[in-house]
Short mmCIF file of all heavy atoms in Angstrom, two decimals:
data_model
loop_
_atom_site.label_atom_id
_atom_site.label_comp_id
_atom_site.label_asym_id
_atom_site.label_seq_id
_atom_site.Cartn_x
_atom_site.Cartn_y
_atom_site.Cartn_z
N LEU A 38 -6.67 29.29 113.67
CA LEU A 38 -5.47 30.06 114.01
C LEU A 38 -5.52 31.47 113.61
O LEU A 38 -5.11 32.40 114.36
CB LEU A 38 -4.32 29.39 113.29
CG LEU A 38 -3.85 28.04 113.82
CD1 LEU A 38 -2.69 27.48 113.07
CD2 LEU A 38 -3.46 28.11 115.31
N SER A 39 -6.09 31.77 112.42
CA SER A 39 -6.15 33.13 112.00
C SER A 39 -7.08 34.04 112.84
O SER A 39 -6.74 35.13 113.26
CB SER A 39 -6.65 33.29 110.44
OG SER A 39 -5.65 32.60 109.63
N HIS A 40 -8.31 33.34 113.28
CA HIS A 40 -9.15 34.05 114.14
C HIS A 40 -8.45 34.26 115.51
O HIS A 40 -8.61 35.38 116.03
CB HIS A 40 -10.46 33.24 114.33
CG HIS A 40 -11.41 33.32 113.23
ND1 HIS A 40 -12.06 34.61 112.98
CD2 HIS A 40 -11.93 32.48 112.39
CE1 HIS A 40 -12.89 34.42 111.97
NE2 HIS A 40 -12.92 33.11 111.64
N LEU A 41 -7.75 33.33 115.98
CA LEU A 41 -6.98 33.57 117.26
C LEU A 41 -5.97 34.75 117.16
O LEU A 41 -5.83 35.48 118.18
CB LEU A 41 -6.27 32.28 117.69
CG LEU A 41 -7.29 31.20 118.25
CD1 LEU A 41 -6.53 29.97 118.52
CD2 LEU A 41 -8.07 31.70 119.46
N LYS A 42 -5.28 34.80 116.02
CA LYS A 42 -4.34 35.88 115.82
C LYS A 42 -5.02 37.30 115.78
O LYS A 42 -4.46 38.22 116.10
CB LYS A 42 -3.53 35.77 114.56
CG LYS A 42 -2.59 34.60 114.59
CD LYS A 42 -1.50 34.82 115.48
CE LYS A 42 -0.40 33.77 115.45
NZ LYS A 42 0.77 33.96 116.32
N LEU A 43 -6.29 37.22 115.48
CA LEU A 43 -7.09 38.46 115.43
C LEU A 43 -7.92 38.60 116.73
O LEU A 43 -8.75 39.53 116.83
CB LEU A 43 -8.08 38.42 114.31
CG LEU A 43 -7.53 38.45 112.86
CD1 LEU A 43 -8.53 38.10 111.80
CD2 LEU A 43 -6.88 39.84 112.70
N SER A 44 -7.61 37.76 117.70
CA SER A 44 -8.29 37.79 119.06
C SER A 44 -9.76 37.57 119.01
O SER A 44 -10.51 38.04 119.80
CB SER A 44 -7.97 39.06 119.75
OG SER A 44 -6.59 39.22 120.05
N ASP A 45 -10.16 36.67 117.97
CA ASP A 45 -11.55 36.26 117.85
C ASP A 45 -11.69 34.84 118.28
O ASP A 45 -11.64 33.86 117.54
CB ASP A 45 -11.95 36.44 116.37
CG ASP A 45 -12.07 37.87 115.93
OD1 ASP A 45 -12.17 38.74 116.76
OD2 ASP A 45 -11.93 38.09 114.74
N ARG A 46 -11.97 34.59 119.50
CA ARG A 46 -12.02 33.31 120.19
C ARG A 46 -13.13 32.46 119.70
O ARG A 46 -13.04 31.32 119.31
CB ARG A 46 -11.94 33.48 121.62
CG ARG A 46 -11.93 32.08 122.37
CD ARG A 46 -12.10 32.35 123.89
NE ARG A 46 -12.53 31.13 124.53
CZ ARG A 46 -11.85 30.29 125.08
NH1 ARG A 46 -10.55 30.65 125.47
NH2 ARG A 46 -12.33 29.22 125.61
N GLU A 47 -14.37 33.05 119.72
CA GLU A 47 -15.60 32.39 119.43
C GLU A 47 -15.57 31.76 117.94
O GLU A 47 -15.79 30.55 117.74
CB GLU A 47 -16.83 33.14 119.63
CG GLU A 47 -17.27 33.23 121.16
CD GLU A 47 -17.15 31.91 121.84
OE1 GLU A 47 -17.87 30.99 121.31
OE2 GLU A 47 -16.61 31.76 122.90
N PRO A 48 -15.25 32.69 116.93
CA PRO A 48 -15.08 32.05 115.59
C PRO A 48 -13.98 31.03 115.43
O PRO A 48 -14.17 30.05 114.73
CB PRO A 48 -14.69 33.25 114.77
CG PRO A 48 -15.22 34.47 115.57
CD PRO A 48 -15.05 34.11 116.88
N ALA A 49 -12.97 31.12 116.33
CA ALA A 49 -11.91 30.19 116.31
C ALA A 49 -12.46 28.75 116.83
O ALA A 49 -12.17 27.77 116.21
CB ALA A 49 -10.77 30.62 117.20
N MET A 50 -13.23 28.87 117.85
CA MET A 50 -13.82 27.56 118.38
C MET A 50 -14.69 26.95 117.45
O MET A 50 -14.81 25.75 117.24
CB MET A 50 -14.51 27.85 119.72
CG MET A 50 -13.63 28.17 120.88
SD MET A 50 -12.59 26.72 121.39
CE MET A 50 -13.86 25.75 122.18
N LYS A 51 -15.52 27.85 116.66
CA LYS A 51 -16.50 27.27 115.66
C LYS A 51 -15.67 26.59 114.59
O LYS A 51 -16.05 25.57 114.02
CB LYS A 51 -17.33 28.29 115.10
CG LYS A 51 -18.37 28.83 115.98
CD LYS A 51 -19.19 29.93 115.45
CE LYS A 51 -20.26 30.47 116.50
NZ LYS A 51 -21.03 31.62 115.92
#
Side-chain angles (χ1 to χ4, degrees):
L38 288 178
S39 294
H40 279 298
L41 287 175
K42 292 291 188 177
L43 295 168
S44 299
D45 293 334
R46 183 188 158 107
E47 287 304 313
M50 287 295 285
K51 287 180 184 179

